[in-house]
Amino acid sequence: MIAPTRQYIFPETIEPLTGVRFFLALGVVFFHYQLFWALPADAAPLLNRARLGVDIFFILSGFILTHVYLTGDTTPTYWRFISARFARIYPAHFIILIGVLALTLGAGLVEVRIDHANFSTFDFLTSLLLVHAWFPTQHMANWNGPSWSLSAEWFVYLAFPAFAWIAMRWREKPLLIIGLAIATFAALDFVYQTLFGSILTEAQENLGILLVVPEFIYGIGLYFLGQKINLNRLQASIFAFGMTVILLTAMHFHADDRLVVGIAGPFVLSLGLLAKSGQRSFLSHKWMQFGGEASFALYLVHMPILMVWRNVIQKWFELEKTYRMGLPEVAILLTLTLIAAGLIHIWFEQPSRLWLRGLFSQKPGSMALPDTSPLGDSKG
């Protein structure tokens, strides 16, 4: 079942990893919703830990970027890689950031009070350049909070040659790569606790780049480990189901964040092996595939919509800023958010990506760019 060499390749498209991205993004959405809804704080402990979906995205990213770029005997040119990543991640980030800017500037026209200290020019510029998770900070830029993870991912993309060197040098020894990831995480966690008094999984805009590095390496090691493993459909199904139950149970019963991140690795691997075995699941359904492709837009747009919604409801019904949302209101808000994410993906994200790919491909010596996705890609 486990071969000494990498002989069991993954399919070109790893559909379960596309489909699961929708649920990971949806979990982050519900994590933010439960901060404002009327249910008791302990009503949904699983959703309270759904913020760790971002960590799973980081692991997915290492796994799939290895699948796309690092399975041959050579690595891609830096221009080919970085232009492909920019074309995929920046359009949605840019349009949503500009949308938040327009809403902020226009808030006074509808008599909505904005604390401009939370929307500074400096924070806007660092968000625009995707560097707002690179430095120590004591506050979160409110231009679009979830984009801190995109800033962390952009750092990994820029430093990709270093990760590629590790991958190409040790790809026949994936357990060494996984060990490096664990050791790096432990060391950075110790440093982060010493400096800030919090564990590493709580790093967001405050040096979020420290979190993405070991988790990205973890994904690389898991991918090469998966190339040595061959499971039949029944074995792969049992493995995927078992890891899903273990992961959700750990999150529900408040296991340490670091343990949950550790469990997330075999969970990602199990979905990859499910695809390799040829076993299809609901994650391969066309709607799940679309949801996975649009998950990036969902992840980025849900917080601006949530904030606008709450400001409008507060003004219309003269409610306190601390008012709690009922479940019918949450259902309406979620529906609007899903529609908005789908439209952004179809009408802006995809056309912009294709236009940029074409533009970058015109550079002398450039090759056509692969159509891949951020924060847990699943296509080659």
Side-chain angles (χ1 to χ4, degrees):
M1 187 167 62
I2 300 181
T5 59
R6 297 175 299 112
Q7 58 181 285
Y8 305 116
I9 64 173
F10 287 95
E12 181 179 1
T13 300
I14 308 178
E15 292 180 347
L17 295 184
T18 299
V20 79
R21 280 166 38 206
F22 171 72
F23 290 103
L24 295 176
L26 190 64
V28 175
V29 172
F30 274 112
F31 167 74
H32 288 126
Y33 282 5
Q34 57 97 32
L35 300 177
F36 300 101
W37 66 25
L39 294 177
D42 59 351
L46 178 62
L47 296 181
N48 186 257
R49 310 299 299 288
R51 60 184 171 78
L52 295 175
V54 176
D55 297 78
I56 303 177
F57 271 128
F58 289 156
I59 298 170
L60 273 169
S61 187
F63 192 98
I64 293 298
L65 290 186
T66 301
H67 177 64
V68 174
Y69 293 106
L70 301 177
T71 55
D73 294 328
T74 60
T75 58
T77 65
Y78 190 67
W79 169 256
R80 177 182 175 230
F81 173 80
I82 205 66
S83 58
R85 305 319 303 156
F86 180 86
R88 185 57 179 89
I89 70 172
Y90 203 76
H93 168 67
F94 178 77
I95 192 63
I96 292 171
L97 183 62
I98 295 302
V100 174
L101 174 62
L103 291 170
T104 302
L105 295 177
L109 299 178
V110 292
E111 299 181 354
V112 173
R113 299 180 61 183
I114 296 291
D115 185 354
H116 292 283
N118 292 329
F119 293 89
S120 70
T121 301
F122 176 79
D123 286 342
F124 176 82
L125 292 176
T126 58
S127 296
L128 182 67
L129 297 174
L130 287 178
V131 297
H132 50 302
W134 292 18
F135 309 103
T137 182
Q138 297 302 314
H139 76 285
M140 174 174 286
N142 286 332
W143 289 103
N144 192 5
S147 68
W148 74 266
S149 60
L150 192 57
S151 171
E153 276 280 326
W154 182 239
F155 174 83
V156 166
Y157 298 162
L158 292 174
F160 189 70
F163 296 98
W165 183 86
I166 294 172
M168 300 300 283
R169 184 178 179 85
W170 287 354
R171 59 184 179 175
E172 295 294 349
K173 300 177 180 179
L175 294 181
L176 282 180
I177 301 177
I178 293 172
L180 174 64
I182 294 172
T184 303
F185 188 99
L188 292 176
D189 181 54
F190 175 79
V191 171
Y192 200 83
Q193 289 188 69
T194 302
L195 293 176
F196 304 109
S198 301
I199 60 176
L200 187 59
T201 54
E202 296 178 8
Q204 297 183 11
E205 289 196 351
N206 186 21
L207 286 173
I209 57 173
L210 299 182
L211 177 62
V212 69
V213 168
E215 293 177 346
F216 190 84
I217 296 173
Y218 193 20
I220 295 173
L222 289 165
Y223 181 83
F224 288 129
L225 177 61
Q227 284 195 320
K228 293 173 174 282
I229 300 175
N230 189 36
L231 302 180
N232 62 37
R233 293 184 178 187
L234 178 60
Q235 291 170 332
S237 299
I238 293 173
F239 185 32
F241 178 77
M243 288 312 309
T244 301
V245 171
I246 292 171
L247 178 63
L248 294 179
T249 301
M251 294 171 67
H252 179 81
F253 289 103
H254 303 287
D256 188 285
D257 284 4
R258 294 159 292 191
L259 176 60
V260 173
V261 170
I263 295 171
F267 168 73
V268 169
L269 177 60
S270 74
L271 296 183
L273 294 176
L274 188 68
K276 184 195 291 189
S277 75
Q279 178 63 52
R280 293 179 62 83
S281 70
F282 74 98
L283 292 174
S284 296
H285 190 278
K286 63 180 181 179
W287 285 109
M288 289 297 96
Q289 294 299 291
F290 175 79
E293 292 295 335
S295 63
F296 183 48
L298 174 62
Y299 175 76
L300 287 178
V301 81
H302 79 276
M303 277 299 288
I305 292 178
L306 174 61
M307 294 299 100
V308 170
W309 173 275
R310 287 184 58 81
N311 275 291
V312 169
I313 295 299
Q314 288 165 19
K315 180 174 177 56
W316 281 2
F317 296 98
E318 299 181 350
L319 301 175
E320 297 293 330
K321 293 182 71 67
T322 56
Y323 93 93
R324 314 299 289 183
M325 300 187 298
L327 292 184
E329 182 180 353
V330 170
I332 295 171
L333 176 59
L334 177 62
T335 300
L336 293 176
T337 300
L338 290 172
I339 292 173
L343 294 178
I344 290 172
H345 176 66
I346 295 171
W347 288 353
F348 186 82
E349 188 179 7
Q350 286 184 326
S352 299
R353 181 203 327 163
L354 293 174
W355 178 78
L356 286 172
R357 287 173 62 204
L359 180 66
F360 293 144
S361 294
Q362 295 173 12
K363 183 179 183 293
S366 295
M367 301 173 59
L369 302 175
D371 181 13
T372 57
S373 314
L375 298 182
D377 312 276
S378 55
K379 286 187 177 181

